[in-house]
Amino acid sequence: MKTKITGIELRRIAMPLVTPFRTSFGVETTRDVLLVRVVTADHEGWGECGAMSEPRYSSEYVDSVQHVLRRFLIPALPKDGLNVHEPARVMAPFTGHRMAKSALETAVLDAHLRAADESFGSYLGAARDRVPCGVSVGIMDSVPELLDAVERYIAEGYVRIKLKIEPGWDLAPVRAVRERFGGELPLQVDANAAYTLSDAQHLAALDDFGLQLIEQPLANDDLVRHAALAKRLRTPICLDESITSAADAAAAISLGACSVVNIKPGRVGGYLEARRIHDLARAHGVAVWCGGMLETGLGRAANVALAALPGFTLPGDTSASGRYFATDITKPFVLSDGHLDVPTGPGLGVEPLPDVLDAVTTSVEWIKM
Ligand code: NPQ
Ligand code: MG
């Protein structure tokens, strides 16, 4: 089936966070999100971009995404209609910019699936109708403040806790959470590339705390040192920033650089590539889980559908809307018994609420095809 696009809207929204989110690379207080809306004669499709306002987590940032979409990626789409695999094919000659490509591909896929009356979950191959959810907990000013936050998340029902760490905020918060909530709590940490291999001995002290994994301890482009570190830790290494494609995942697995993969569709260029990584990891017996980039309900809907695939054997960062936003742009995702339901309606299965969307919109650009 061919989707014929009449135009594409690039909409920027500003979403205040319920509390500032601090990681080893910075603090975010408002989520600056680019939404791509693909319009056809009878339908529309939405894609949410995971890029942040500054190039810290990765080299892309919201302005760069909007620019590359307008200047190169949207003009490359065939004018006379396309199937869901064509966006990736025509965008492939442009290097990198995977978050931009992901947002555009997802919007085309959503328009296509809405027209075909099929859900994202069904299309991707979901094996269950709800997914268990973890939560990512930012770096705080003090351990008591952290313990209060973790206690609230556990009370809300989250089934695993991920602590953001950095040099100076690692052993003490992990020890405090273990002492307070016990050894059974599924617990993991995420360094967002804040360490070097010379920290190996320090990081090995985390082995005493029974963590499920340590996520992205070293630099994004350093699979070789991750493999060396893996030999010195009992805690499994999970890669996030380092994995930007199925080819990267294959290299990391065969090098022994990781034994778990965080799959973020935006980082790897879209849900189709995300599914390939899932398939590859599953074939190698490597666990995967679905990461998060502080998505609104639109991106969250697609992530929850992906997280329902059979190889997603660990709870992901697919938290409820309320983890990040007091008001979401869709009907909010609400945790029930630690799970979120996989949407079943056509496409993403959720729509932006027009009044909320208008209230948070900071700019709208229309590109006619
Ligand atoms: C991670 N996400 O796993 C990322 C990093 C991250 C949920 O921990 C604005 C937009 C701020 C995206 C901060 C989680 C962000 C962001 C951190 C992503 O590494
Ligand atoms: Mg991460």
Side-chain angles (χ1 to χ4, degrees):
M1 197 173 98
K2 292 258 179 185
T3 299
K4 186 163 171 3
I5 301 171
T6 54
I8 297 181
E9 180 186 274
L10 303 180
R11 181 183 288 252
R12 290 278 281 270
I13 63 175
M15 301 280 288
L17 297 176
V18 289
T19 53
F21 187 47
R22 183 168 151 210
T23 65
S24 62
F25 57 80
V27 189
E28 200 89 342
T29 53
T30 302
R31 185 77 178 90
D32 174 9
V33 186
L34 176 72
L35 299 176
V36 176
R37 182 169 70 101
V38 158
V39 179
T40 69
D42 304 309
H43 293 92
E44 59 181 25
W46 293 89
E48 173 169 343
C49 181
M52 308 175 62
S53 42
E54 298 184 356
R56 295 182 184 274
Y57 167 84
S58 67
S59 61
E60 291 182 89
Y61 57 102
V62 192
D63 289 336
S64 81
V65 169
Q66 188 160 355
H67 185 267
V68 79
L69 283 169
R70 177 199 305 129
R71 171 84 193 272
F72 298 108
L73 303 181
I74 290 173
L77 297 181
K79 307 274 178 282
D80 54 346
L82 72 180
N83 68 38
V84 296
H85 296 284
E86 270 163 319
R89 189 173 57 76
V90 301
M91 294 188 293
F94 301 103
T95 303
H97 297 282
R98 293 180 195 268
M99 290 185 180
K101 291 172 178 174
S102 173
L104 183 54
E105 181 188 87
T106 304
V108 171
L109 180 56
D110 184 33
H112 173 92
L113 291 176
R114 286 181 201 262
D117 197 21
E118 181 173 13
S119 71
F120 253 71
S122 159
Y123 178 78
L124 292 174
R128 44 190 177 243
D129 55 14
R130 56 178 212 151
V131 299
C133 298
V135 61
S136 177
V137 186
I139 294 168
M140 311 240 163
D141 293 333
S142 71
V143 166
E145 200 186 328
L146 175 72
L147 294 177
D148 285 351
V150 170
E151 181 167 40
R152 278 196 304 275
Y153 290 131
I154 292 172
E156 287 175 32
Y158 287 105
V159 303
R160 75 92 167 108
I161 300 291
K162 158 169 147 183
L163 303 181
K164 291 293 194 175
I165 59 168
E166 65 182 2
W169 181 266
D170 43 31
L171 299 177
V174 169
R175 180 180 298 114
V177 167
R178 273 289 180 241
E179 277 172 5
R180 169 78 167 270
F181 303 103
E184 296 302 303
L185 174 70
L187 183 64
Q188 60 194 57
V189 295
D190 184 0
N192 288 109
Y195 296 88
T196 68
L197 190 55
S198 57
D199 297 311
Q201 202 180 345
H202 178 71
L203 293 173
L206 288 169
D207 285 346
D208 291 342
F209 298 108
L211 300 177
Q212 288 196 323
L213 56 89
I214 177 170
E215 181 177 344
Q216 197 69 43
L218 310 180
N220 300 15
D221 58 357
D222 205 345
L223 292 183
V224 170
R225 285 189 185 82
H226 276 103
L229 180 63
K231 294 209 179 79
R232 299 183 53 182
L233 303 185
R234 269 183 288 121
T235 308
I237 293 182
C238 168
L239 290 176
D240 173 356
E241 285 91 326
S242 290
I243 307 298
T244 68
S245 64
D248 283 354
I253 291 168
S254 54
L255 263 175
C258 67
S259 49
V260 183
V261 178
N262 168 338
I263 300 184
K264 286 179 184 163
R267 195 192 67 226
V268 305
Y271 289 84
L272 303 179
E273 187 74 0
R275 183 170 58 183
R276 282 180 210 114
I277 298 176
H278 161 272
D279 295 348
L280 170 99
R282 195 166 179 233
H284 286 268
V286 167
V288 303
W289 53 280
C290 184
M293 291 296 282
L294 285 55
E295 287 85 357
T296 73
L298 292 171
R300 199 160 295 283
N303 285 352
V304 169
L306 180 72
L309 267 60
F312 283 78
T313 52
L314 293 170
D317 285 341
T318 51
S319 302
S321 297
R323 158 65 184 88
Y324 295 112
F325 310 116
T327 309
D328 205 339
I329 58 169
T330 63
K331 188 168 162 299
F333 281 83
V334 178
L335 220 56
S336 156
D337 184 27
H339 290 66
L340 289 181
D341 289 335
V342 180
T344 54
L348 296 174
V350 297
E351 290 76 38
L353 303 165
D355 293 349
V356 180
L357 187 62
D358 281 346
V360 295
T361 295
T362 53
S363 72
V364 181
E365 175 178 1
W366 175 253
I367 299 172
K368 211 170 163 304
M369 287 296 276

Coordinates of all heavy atoms in Angstrom, one line a residue, residues 23 25 57 136 162 164 189-193 215-216 238-241 262 264 267 289 291-293 317, ligand 2:
T23 N 21.1 14.5 34.8 CA 21.9 13.4 34.4 C 23.3 13.8 34.5 O 23.6 15.0 34.8 CB 21.6 12.9 33.0 OG1 22.0 14.0 32.1 CG2 20.1 12.7 32.8
F25 N 25.1 14.6 32.1 CA 25.4 15.5 31.1 C 24.6 16.8 31.2 O 24.8 17.7 30.4 CB 25.3 14.9 29.7 CG 24.0 14.4 29.4 CD1 22.9 15.2 29.0 CD2 23.8 13.0 29.5 CE1 21.7 14.6 28.7 CE2 22.5 12.4 29.2 CZ 21.5 13.2 28.8
Y57 N 23.4 14.5 25.0 CA 23.3 13.0 25.0 C 23.8 12.5 23.7 O 24.5 11.4 23.6 CB 21.8 12.7 25.1 CG 21.4 11.3 24.8 CD1 21.5 10.3 25.8 CD2 21.0 10.9 23.5 CE1 21.2 9.0 25.5 CE2 20.6 9.6 23.2 CZ 20.8 8.7 24.2 OH 20.5 7.4 23.9
S136 N 13.3 6.0 35.6 CA 14.6 6.5 35.6 C 14.7 7.7 36.6 O 13.9 8.7 36.5 CB 15.0 7.0 34.2 OG 16.3 7.6 34.2
K162 N 15.9 2.8 38.1 CA 17.2 3.1 37.5 C 17.7 4.4 38.1 O 17.0 5.4 38.0 CB 17.0 3.1 36.0 CG 18.0 3.9 35.2 CD 17.9 3.7 33.7 CE 18.3 4.9 32.9 NZ 18.0 4.7 31.5
K164 N 20.4 7.4 38.0 CA 21.4 8.1 37.2 C 22.6 8.3 38.1 O 22.4 8.7 39.2 CB 20.8 9.4 36.7 CG 19.7 9.3 35.7 CD 20.3 8.7 34.4 CE 19.3 8.9 33.2 NZ 19.9 8.4 32.0
V189 N 21.7 1.1 37.2 CA 22.3 2.4 37.1 C 22.6 2.8 35.7 O 22.9 2.0 34.9 CB 23.6 2.6 38.0 CG1 23.2 2.4 39.5 CG2 24.7 1.6 37.6
D190 N 22.7 4.1 35.4 CA 23.0 4.7 34.1 C 23.9 5.8 34.3 O 23.6 6.8 34.9 CB 21.7 5.1 33.4 CG 21.9 5.6 32.0 OD1 23.0 5.6 31.5 OD2 20.9 6.0 31.4
A191 N 25.1 5.7 33.7 CA 26.2 6.7 33.8 C 26.2 7.7 32.6 O 26.9 8.7 32.7 CB 27.5 6.0 33.9
N192 N 25.4 7.4 31.6 CA 25.5 8.3 30.4 C 26.9 8.7 30.0 O 27.2 9.9 29.9 CB 24.6 9.6 30.6 CG 23.1 9.2 30.5 OD1 22.4 9.3 31.5 ND2 22.6 8.9 29.3
A193 N 27.8 7.7 30.0 CA 29.2 7.9 29.4 C 30.1 8.7 30.3 O 31.1 9.3 29.9 CB 29.1 8.5 28.0
E215 N 24.5 0.8 32.8 CA 24.2 1.3 31.5 C 25.2 2.4 31.1 O 25.5 3.3 31.8 CB 22.8 1.9 31.5 CG 22.3 2.4 30.2 CD 20.8 2.9 30.3 OE1 20.1 2.6 31.3 OE2 20.4 3.7 29.4
Q216 N 25.8 2.2 29.9 CA 26.7 3.1 29.2 C 27.7 3.8 30.2 O 27.7 5.0 30.4 CB 25.9 4.2 28.5 CG 26.7 5.0 27.5 CD 27.1 4.2 26.3 OE1 26.3 3.5 25.7 NE2 28.3 4.4 25.8
C238 N 25.2 -2.8 30.0 CA 24.1 -2.5 29.0 C 24.6 -1.3 28.2 O 25.1 -0.3 28.8 CB 22.8 -2.2 29.7 SG 21.5 -1.5 28.6
L239 N 24.4 -1.3 26.9 CA 24.8 -0.1 26.1 C 23.5 0.6 25.6 O 22.5 0.0 25.3 CB 25.7 -0.5 24.9 CG 27.1 -0.9 25.3 CD1 27.9 -1.4 24.1 CD2 27.8 0.2 26.1
D240 N 23.7 2.0 25.7 CA 22.6 2.9 25.2 C 23.2 3.7 24.1 O 23.1 3.3 22.9 CB 22.1 3.7 26.4 CG 21.1 4.8 26.0 OD1 20.9 5.0 24.8 OD2 20.7 5.5 26.9
E241 N 23.9 4.8 24.4 CA 24.4 5.7 23.4 C 25.3 5.1 22.3 O 25.3 5.5 21.2 CB 25.3 6.8 24.1 CG 24.5 7.9 24.9 CD 24.3 7.5 26.3 OE1 24.1 6.3 26.6 OE2 24.2 8.4 27.2
N262 N 19.9 -1.4 25.6 CA 18.8 -0.4 25.7 C 18.4 0.0 24.3 O 19.3 0.5 23.6 CB 19.3 0.7 26.5 CG 18.3 1.9 26.5 OD1 17.5 2.1 25.6 ND2 18.4 2.8 27.5
K264 N 16.4 2.4 22.0 CA 15.6 3.7 21.9 C 15.4 3.8 20.4 O 16.4 4.1 19.6 CB 16.4 4.9 22.4 CG 16.5 4.9 23.9 CD 17.3 6.1 24.4 CE 17.5 6.2 25.9 NZ 18.6 7.1 26.3
R267 N 17.2 6.9 18.7 CA 18.6 6.8 18.6 C 19.1 5.9 17.4 O 20.2 6.2 16.9 CB 19.2 6.3 19.9 CG 20.6 6.4 20.2 CD 21.0 5.5 21.4 NE 20.9 4.1 21.1 CZ 20.3 3.2 21.9 NH1 19.8 3.6 23.1 NH2 20.2 2.0 21.5
W289 N 15.7 -4.0 26.4 CA 14.6 -3.2 27.1 C 14.4 -1.9 26.3 O 15.4 -1.5 25.6 CB 14.8 -3.1 28.6 CG 16.1 -2.5 29.0 CD1 17.3 -3.1 29.1 CD2 16.3 -1.1 29.4 NE1 18.3 -2.2 29.5 CE2 17.7 -1.0 29.7 CE3 15.5 0.0 29.5 CZ2 18.3 0.2 30.1 CZ3 16.1 1.2 29.9 CH2 17.5 1.3 30.2
G291 N 14.3 2.0 26.1 CA 14.7 3.2 26.8 C 13.6 4.3 26.5 O 12.6 4.1 25.9
G292 N 14.0 5.5 27.0 CA 13.0 6.6 26.9 C 13.8 7.9 26.8 O 14.9 8.0 27.2
M293 N 13.2 8.8 26.1 CA 13.7 10.2 25.9 C 12.7 11.2 26.4 O 12.5 12.3 25.7 CB 14.1 10.4 24.4 CG 15.3 9.5 24.0 SD 16.9 9.9 24.9 CE 17.4 11.4 24.0
D317 N 12.2 2.0 30.4 CA 12.0 3.3 30.9 C 10.6 3.9 30.4 O 10.5 5.1 30.2 CB 13.1 4.3 30.6 CG 14.4 4.0 31.4 OD1 14.3 3.4 32.5 OD2 15.5 4.4 31.0
Ligands
MG2 MG 20.8 5.7 29.1

